[in-house]
Each structure stands twice: as structure tokens, then as C-alpha cells.
Amino acid sequence: MLLSRKLLCELSPNFSKVSDDHIRTGVMNMGMEVEQIIHHPKLENICVGEIIKVEKHPNADKLNVAEVLISEKPRIVKTIVCGANNLFVGQKAVVAMVGAKLYDGREIGEKTLQGITSCGMLCGYPELTPYNHESMSDSDKSGIITLDSNAKVGDTNIASFLGLDDTIYDLSIPSNRHDWQSVLLLVEDMSKFFGFKSKLQINETIKSDVKNIYKLSIDQNISTCGTMYVIDEYITKQSPWNLRATLLNSGVELVSQTIDNINYISLLTGVSPLLFDADKLPKNLIQKMGNGEKVIVKNKPYTLTNKDAILVDDKGVVLAIDNIRAVDDYAVTHLTKKIVVYISNTKHDLVRNTITRHNLSSKSGKNNSKRNCGYQMSLFNNMLLKGYGKKVISACSNKIALEKDKTIKCSMEELVRFNGIESENPVEFAIKSLEKLGYTVKGDTVIVPGYRNDLENDQDIFEEVLKVYGVNELPIKPYTAPVDLLYKEESNYSKLHEIKKILINDYICETKTYNLTSKETANVFNFFNLKPFYHLNPCTNKAREYIRTNLVSSLLSVFAFNLNRKNELQPIFEM
């Protein structure tokens, strides 16, 4: 996950005083990992220019000749030859002047191209930074940058216009913290952890009149809630650069002003909607499992199975692969006038397995392959209604179900003993730590948000206090239990090691898979009828609840994984 420092400071201004190193240490104590901190290259000898004249190069069909105003007082106009095809009169562009050095080592100088001298370069985004290219549209990658119309000719603060003065934190989020896919909830927790008073109004409730334009039938085996909205205006033009910069530095693909706004809400809430063309979408939508239907998604054919969640109309016509992507016939195009926004909390493992099975790739699928809670969906609802006002309509009567707070029994004395906290009043420290994180402590019970699926028992609460205390602050004490330090090589291990060497020398690939699996998989190929299955309790992940009884299922899952991705299959073994 990419977190923009500018966005972090916008949502919680106190972070502007916190160094990158302190942020790295803090988020690591919270349970995340900073994979890298990204800084864009510095820009020099680059300014805002305005194209005042453009025409085809007389001697080269693929080149254009532009007259570019780079200073109004004194008036300076430069002739620049450019191969991009999105030039127009009045366009505010980024000009690399003679003498500018780009990050890839190129130095801009005067150059004669097919008989015309070019005095500078009109820049595209990829010329200015090596980062975020995958989030640019194809037209953005091949064309020059079009700045907002209020950019002033001659201004050299290009980095600020384009967000290239930002810092990007590449965070590794724990798999059990699905709520941190929401930047709002992530920043809220970071603010509490750093002791800042949060100004985020994430508990605000926005209500609107519901117009039952659509009827949505939810299958409780697929999801518990879902709803729809209509945005009555689809704006296809480019978004302002302050929004584009935030999305680019957060790894979000640019599309158009309306979809960029929706994607910004998705970034903040962690909820990725499906988008439909309102004029094409039927009025009745039904959630169900597939049954061999054939669909076209992004010009590729797919055959759906009874393990794929889908949306169909009342005639059984497939409208979308649920929470992944709309079928092409109902998807948004540049001709769309109104957009339907659909959100649901479809079971994340269904989404993830469908993505793997069909080798599908989409932003919605990526986000929704993690658990979406009702609280996040409520945040999405509030931001969409607040951001669009009268231009958005709640289009069906389905309500979003919010999780109720959970009460966890936890002895404060046991917490202190278990964590080894050294303080004048360790129990008081533990209570204040939990309250700092936003929990309510009543005696030996702790009340936590219902959407926190990672908090289930007292040991989870122990860990929360340890995060505040700091793992590095724990006293280092030598282990005093008697240990037999004499290593005795077991003959069985030696034999296994020899077998492993033989297999590898015969070009058979060794795999390493999970020891834990689901109850259903633990029963498959259980040749020796091993009982019990060593049920781990508590466990919030049903796919990792039992110790496996054999290796056959694991090896077959490796084959299936590679087969779905059309990788070349290799002989494999596991010990």
C-alpha cells in the first residue's frame, strides 16, 4: 500500500512535524512494515509554458512544431519540436529548458530536427520521475502533461503542481488488518498511536432520500449487505492536478474527473465499487453463484463456475463478476452519461479465489479480495453523498449493516505480567495505552470496534498494549530453563535430506506450503483417517483453521495456482 505524506498531513496536520524516520519506527511498532520511502527526483531548469501556436512539422509527419511562451515579462517564446499528439493552442505545459538535466541522465540542449531547431522539450510525466508510471493512462504516458489552466507562465514550481515534492511510504499491511486498506482508518489509528488529536469526522452520518430506481437482491451466502447509487453526470475531462497527484502518489490509476473522484473516495475508505452505465443497466439485479455462463470482460472471454459470485438481471443475463468488474456490455465508456455505483461486502475469499481462478486483474478485485466491513461501506456512503450532493441519488433501499462493538475479557494484572512491562504503575500504563488507541476499559473488560476482526481474545489486547510500550523497550533477560545443547543428528532426518538432494539434482522443484488449511481440505486425501484435526481456536481465517493431514492437497493447490496463471508446469515435491 502506498501512503502519500502530503495526504497524511492533510488528514492529520500534526504529522508535518514528524520525520520520516519517526514515522517508520511508529508504523513498525503498530505492526506494519515500511518497505521503502520514495522521493521523486529534484527538478531544475523546468517551468510552465503556454503553447501559442502549433503546426505539423513540414518535413516529418510524426512531429509537431510548437511556439511556446515561457515568460510574459520579458516576453520570451521558444520553438520546440515535439512528437506527442496532444498539443493544442492555449495548453499549459511543462517545459524543460536548455540546460535542464532529467533523472535518466539526459541533458536538454538545442537540437535540429529535420531542419528546425528545437530549443527545449515539452515533458510528459514519465520524463520527470521514474515512479507511478503504471498509474498513468496510455494517453498520459504517450502525451505531454496538460497543467491546470490557472498555472502561471514562467512558474518554476513544477514539483508542487504535480505532487513531485511529495514523499511516498510503501507500507506492508498485515493481512488481518483489512480496515487499514482505508486511508482514513489507517491515519486515524496512526494519529492515536502518535498521540495526536484526530480531526477526522469518520463517525459522521450523511442521510439522503432513497429513490428505489433499482432492486438489489442479496444472497446472504455471498454477502450480508449491498447498495447502489446513481451519479447523474459523467465528466470525462481530466481531473485537476491536486487530485491527480494524490492518486498517482497513492498508486491509483487515472481515468477521468468523475471516476478519479470515486477512486479518491475508494482510496480513503478502502471500498472499491463496481461502476455501470446507468442507461444500459437493468432495474433488477440479483446476486448469485455462477453456472457455466460465458462473459466478455475487458475484451477477454471467461467461463464462470459455481464458485464465482456474479450479478445477473431477472432474466439471468450476467451483468458483472461481483466486486471485480462489470461485463463489457454494461461497463462505463466515454459515451456514458450517468453512472451507477454498486458496493457490497461480498465474501473476500470468493473474490480472491475468482481472481486466482480466472487470472483477473482489477483495482476493485484487488481491494475487495480483502474483507470489507460495514463501517467502511458507511464511510463510502457518507463521502459519496457529501461530495456529490444533489448530483448523487441513493438508488435502492438496501441498508448497510454496521458491526456492533465487541467486549473482550482481559485481566490487566495478567496483561502486565505477560508483557513484562516495567513502570511505576504498570496497570495504569496498560489502561492509558488502551484508551490512547481508542478502546474503552471497564474493569477487566475492553470494548473494541466491531470491525476489528484481529481482536478476538485477551492475548490480542496484550499485543495492542505491547505496541504502545514498544517491543524494543522490553527488558532483555537470559533464558534460564535447562537446555540440552548437544545436537544429535537423527538418522531419519539424514535420509530425508539425502532424498531431497536427489530430487533437486533431478530438476524436481521443492515447494513450501502452509501447514494450516481448512476443515474441508484437511479431510481430502486423508488416507490414514487422522483424528482429531487439531482445530485451532480462536481463528478468524477459515482457510487456515486445521493442521493438514497430508501433502497431496497442498501440491495440487500449487499446480492449480500455476495452471490458472498459464505458467509452465514443473514437477514438484515437498517434505
Side-chain angles (χ1 to χ4, degrees):
M1 176 182 183
L2 301 182
L3 176 64
S4 155
R5 181 182 173 92
K6 274 191 169 183
L7 180 58
L8 171 64
C9 296
E10 179 185 334
L11 297 173
S12 187
N14 284 313
F15 278 104
S16 61
K17 303 173 185 177
V18 183
S19 69
D20 291 342
D21 286 339
H22 281 123
I23 288 177
R24 182 198 293 270
T25 302
V27 299
M28 287 182 69
N29 283 334
M30 289 175 67
M32 292 174 276
E33 187 172 344
V34 181
E35 300 286 351
Q36 62 176 325
I37 297 178
I38 298 170
H39 299 281
H40 294 284
K42 290 185 178 180
L43 303 178
E44 296 179 352
N45 260 353
I46 294 178
C47 72
V48 176
E50 181 178 351
I51 298 176
I52 58 176
K53 182 180 179 182
V54 62
E55 57 187 16
K56 282 290 182 182
H57 194 297
N59 303 320
D61 293 339
K62 295 184 179 181
L63 296 178
N64 296 298
V65 181
E67 299 295 320
V68 184
L69 179 66
I70 62 170
S71 174
E72 293 180 326
K73 292 182 181 180
R75 184 178 175 84
I76 301 174
V77 177
K78 296 290 185 180
T79 299
I80 299 177
V81 179
C82 178
N85 57 11
N86 67 328
L87 280 62
F88 60 88
V89 173
Q91 182 179 16
K92 298 289 180 65
V94 177
V95 181
M97 296 177 286
V98 173
K101 293 182 179 181
L102 304 182
Y103 73 88
D104 59 4
R106 283 181 292 170
E107 184 171 347
I108 305 302
E110 289 190 2
K111 189 175 183 180
T112 300
L113 298 170
Q114 298 292 327
I116 295 180
T117 300
S118 181
C119 302
M121 176 182 178
L122 295 173
C123 298
Y125 191 88
E127 275 86 48
L128 302 179
T129 177
Y131 305 109
N132 304 333
H133 296 182
E134 66 281 356
S135 298
M136 303 292 294
S137 67
D138 291 338
S139 59
D140 283 325
K141 290 176 184 176
S142 61
I144 66 168
I145 293 170
T146 300
L147 296 170
D148 298 343
S149 58
N150 60 357
K152 294 183 178 180
V153 170
D155 197 331
T156 58
N157 196 13
I158 297 297
S160 179
F161 283 135
L162 304 179
L164 300 180
D165 57 347
D166 199 356
T167 299
I168 304 170
Y169 305 113
D170 186 356
L171 304 177
S172 178
I173 304 293
S175 59
N176 63 350
R177 289 308 304 268
H178 60 88
D179 50 309
W180 280 348
Q181 299 299 322
S182 160
V183 170
L184 281 177
L185 295 182
L186 173 61
V187 173
E188 174 82 353
D189 282 357
M190 288 178 64
S191 298
K192 291 174 182 175
F193 189 86
F194 279 83
F196 301 149
K197 289 185 178 180
S198 174
K199 296 182 179 180
L200 304 179
Q201 297 179 334
I202 61 176
N203 293 314
E204 182 181 14
T205 300
I206 306 295
K207 295 182 178 179
S208 68
D209 294 333
V210 177
K211 296 183 180 180
N212 292 318
I213 301 173
Y214 295 94
K215 180 181 178 182
L216 176 61
S217 300
I218 294 295
D219 184 336
Q220 294 294 318
N221 293 317
I222 298 175
S223 66
T224 58
C225 61
T227 192
M228 302 172 70
Y229 310 87
V230 175
I231 298 176
D232 66 3
E233 183 181 18
Y234 179 41
I235 302 174
T236 58
K237 69 180 183 180
Q238 174 180 297
S239 302
W241 262 103
N242 59 346
L243 174 59
R244 288 166 66 85
T246 298
L247 294 178
L248 283 170
N249 288 331
S250 303
V252 180
E253 184 178 352
L254 302 179
V255 183
S256 64
Q257 184 168 324
T258 297
I259 293 181
D260 288 352
N261 282 326
I262 294 172
N263 284 342
Y264 178 69
I265 296 173
S266 177
L267 170 69
L268 293 182
T269 62
V271 176
S272 291
L274 289 184
L275 304 180
F276 299 94
D277 188 318
D279 293 329
K280 298 177 181 178
L281 193 66
K283 301 303 180 185
N284 291 328
L285 286 81
I286 303 167
Q287 198 179 48
K288 65 184 287 288
M289 301 303 292
N291 188 28
E293 295 90 346
K294 298 182 184 297
V295 297
I296 303 294
V297 176
K298 292 207 77 175
N299 298 317
K300 291 184 179 181
Y302 296 92
T303 300
L304 304 173
T305 74
N306 59 4
K307 295 183 179 180
D308 300 319
I310 59 176
L311 287 175
V312 300
D313 65 9
D314 50 12
K315 295 180 181 178
V317 177
V318 181
L319 310 173
I321 303 176
D322 198 9
N323 262 7
I324 298 178
R325 195 180 286 278
V327 171
D328 286 1
D329 288 345
Y330 305 96
V332 174
T333 71
H334 66 285
L335 299 175
T336 297
K337 303 299 182 185
K338 297 181 180 180
I339 288 181
V340 174
V341 180
Y342 160 88
I343 60 173
S344 78
N345 64 344
T346 299
K347 291 179 179 178
H348 64 288
D349 54 339
L350 285 176
V351 176
R352 183 178 62 244
N353 292 339
T354 293
I355 290 172
T356 301
R357 189 178 303 112
H358 298 291
N359 197 20
L360 279 162
S361 176
S362 76
K363 176 178 175 293
S364 296
K366 181 180 178 181
N367 275 6
N368 295 326
S369 63
K370 287 128 179 124
R371 192 189 307 268
N372 271 341
C373 65
Y375 191 57
Q376 289 172 259
M377 293 175 65
S378 179
L379 285 176
F380 185 95
N381 170 82
N382 294 347
M383 293 194 68
L384 189 70
L385 294 176
K386 187 175 181 179
Y388 277 94
K390 294 181 180 179
K391 292 183 178 180
V392 65
I393 302 167
S394 292
C396 74
S397 58
N398 298 45
K399 294 183 178 180
I400 297 172
L402 297 178
E403 299 84 359
K404 295 181 180 178
D405 288 347
K406 297 185 292 188
T407 300
I408 299 174
K409 291 184 178 180
C410 177
S411 166
M412 293 296 126
E413 287 78 10
E414 178 64 15
L415 184 155
V416 170
R417 186 199 67 78
F418 186 87
N419 282 348
I421 295 175
E422 295 184 351
S423 171
E424 290 184 6
N425 192 333
V427 171
E428 182 181 350
F429 173 83
I431 293 172
K432 286 185 176 180
S433 297
L434 292 169
E435 290 174 344
K436 175 183 178 180
L437 297 177
Y439 310 140
T440 301
V441 180
K442 293 183 177 180
D444 279 349
T445 61
V446 181
I447 301 172
V448 302
Y451 61 80
R452 287 290 301 274
N453 287 316
D454 61 308
L455 301 179
E456 295 291 339
N457 54 43
D458 57 348
Q459 293 191 20
D460 294 328
I461 301 300
F462 295 176
E463 186 180 352
E464 293 296 288
V465 174
L466 189 57
K467 291 175 183 177
V468 177
Y469 187 69
V471 175
N472 294 331
E473 300 300 321
L474 291 175
I476 300 175
K477 298 179 180 179
Y479 188 68
T480 57
V483 177
D484 183 1
L485 297 178
L486 295 177
Y487 173 73
K488 297 177 181 179
E489 184 173 344
E490 297 290 341
S491 59
N492 287 340
Y493 177 82
S494 299
K495 290 176 183 177
L496 287 174
H497 189 66
E498 289 300 317
I499 294 172
K500 175 179 173 180
K501 286 170 61 178
I502 293 171
L503 292 172
I504 292 175
N505 287 337
D506 284 341
Y507 301 100
I508 300 176
C509 302
E510 183 182 16
T511 65
K512 298 287 187 181
T513 57
Y514 288 111
N515 288 322
L516 299 177
T517 186
S518 66
K519 183 177 181 179
E520 179 185 11
T521 305
N523 274 311
V524 176
F525 300 112
N526 184 12
F527 302 116
F528 302 103
N529 294 320
L530 297 177
K531 293 180 181 180
F533 294 112
Y534 305 103
H535 181 212
L536 302 181
N537 188 37
C539 181
T540 58
N541 186 350
K542 298 295 183 183
R544 300 281 179 259
E545 203 172 14
Y546 289 79
I547 293 179
R548 61 187 175 185
T549 57
N550 62 85
L551 296 176
V552 177
S553 298
S554 300
L555 293 173
L556 288 175
S557 69
V558 174
F559 269 130
F561 181 89
N562 286 281
L563 192 63
N564 288 330
R565 284 162 174 75
K566 299 181 180 180
N567 296 331
E568 183 181 352
L569 299 183
Q570 302 288 344
I572 57 176
F573 77 94
E574 183 173 8
M575 289 186 170

